[in-house]
Amino acid sequence: MKKVKIVVAGPRGRMGKEAVELVLETENFELAGVLDRRNDGKSLREAEGVDSDALIYTDIYKCFKEQQPDVLIDLTTPEVGMEHTVIALESGVRPVVGTTGFSTGDLAKLEDLCKQTRLGCIIAPNFAVGAVLMMKFSKMAARYFSDVEIIELHHDQKLDAPSGTAVKTAEMISSVRERKKQGHNDEKEAIPGARGADFEGMHIHSVRLPGLIAHQQVMFGSDGQTLSIRHDSYNRASFMSGVKLAVETVMEKDSLVYGLENIIE
Ligand SMILES: NC(=O)C1=CN([C@@H]2O[C@H](COP(=O)(O)OP(=O)(O)OC[C@H]3O[C@@H](n4cnc5c(N)ncnc54)[C@H](OP(=O)(O)O)[C@@H]3O)[C@@H](O)[C@H]2O)C=CC1
Ligand SMILES: O=C(O)C1=N[C@H](C(=O)O)C[C@H](O)C1
């Protein structure tokens, strides 16, 4: 069976390191190279002490030209991730994107690019199966509860707020929920931001603390009852089975897939 040739962008990062390990330990995956912003031309062994001779590239075009990968796994920052994803599609490489913080305009642009190139691209705000279920269950619950607040909690090194998972959860809920402005009509914030971000009338609260990894509670309320749906990732290995599934699936796709719930039955 032909191996899937993979480039990982962001290999020194918290997620990138795990993804490199995943690729190295998966039988039908091959690490073709990594994209970083330092150590150009060195091997991962030389630069990072990783048991691999895969080369580090700072130039994505050179990397793709020399390595001809099938898939790019991007785990960087929103701006860099978007740039990498566009270049990958234009270069015939299928992106699997875990990087969060893409705008709706970015997603629309990528959808068009996938149509033009007939290449698959998977953008997954959360690769953890439990988080995907949390989002699905929240969508189910929103049919019965129109009032909801999303509380996402992450480590304090996270760049984007709200998290990609919180935005995706809000989008999934809003696809079945009547638009509703929540809380008292006359409510006022004595301190700006007290009620969190407003997504079509529902509120998203972002907590950032050292010690946390990735957590989210979706809290529904109606007369005399509340329902809380919570997911916790305690390590980044929790995301890796989703990354593996996304890489395998993207090879079969010819369009944009936004959210792992679209490929997990
Ligand atoms: N979808 C999911 O399930 C998950 C998604 N994420 C998302 O993944 C992304 C990465 O998260 P995390 O690993 O925690 O972040 P880190 O900050 O640990 O890693 C990001 C890495 O990207 C590198 N980077 C920055 N610019 C470039 C560039 N031009 N080329 C290559 N690499 C670059 C950074 O390098 P430097 O150190 O030099 O800045 C850093 O090593 C975030 O958007 C996060 O939200 C995180 C967890 C799960
Ligand atoms: O930055 C993180 O850590 C995470 N980012 C993703 C997000 O923004 O939802 C996924 C997970 O929550 C971890």
Side-chain angles (χ1 to χ4, degrees), residues 29-78:
F29 289 178
E30 178 187 333
L31 188 65
V34 296
L35 280 169
D36 204 340
R37 53 178 177 181
R38 65 182 200 214
N39 295 319
D40 189 39
K42 290 188 179 169
S43 70
L44 268 180
R45 188 182 310 283
E46 259 180 293
E48 300 297 329
V50 174
D51 188 15
S52 165
D53 293 318
L55 289 181
I56 300 170
Y57 291 85
T58 53
D59 181 338
I60 188 169
Y61 293 102
K62 185 172 177 210
C63 173
F64 287 171
K65 189 164 178 230
E66 287 187 8
Q67 300 299 335
Q68 302 282 314
D70 301 301
V71 172
L72 166 72
I73 301 177
D74 193 276
L75 295 158
T76 58
T77 62

Side-chain angles (χ1 to χ4, degrees), residues 73-102:
I73 301 177
D74 193 276
L75 295 158
T76 58
T77 62
E79 298 74 24
V80 173
M82 181 61 189
E83 194 184 318
H84 283 169
T85 306
V86 169
I87 296 171
L89 287 167
E90 289 172 347
S91 309
V93 179
R94 291 175 154 84
V96 166
V97 182
T99 306
T100 50
F102 285 15

Side-chain angles (χ1 to χ4, degrees), residues 8-17 35-38 57-58 74-78 80 84 97-101 124-128 154-155 157-160 163-165 214 236 239 243:
V8 176
R12 278 179 299 109
R14 289 174 285 267
M15 279 292 281
K17 271 188 200 140
L35 280 169
D36 204 340
R37 53 178 177 181
R38 65 182 200 214
Y57 291 85
T58 53
D74 193 276
L75 295 158
T76 58
T77 62
V80 173
H84 283 169
V97 182
T99 306
T100 50
N126 203 311
F127 286 115
H154 282 84
H155 59 92
Q157 296 306 298
K158 185 162 178 58
L159 296 178
D160 53 319
S163 70
T165 308
R236 289 171 180 93
F239 302 110
V243 175

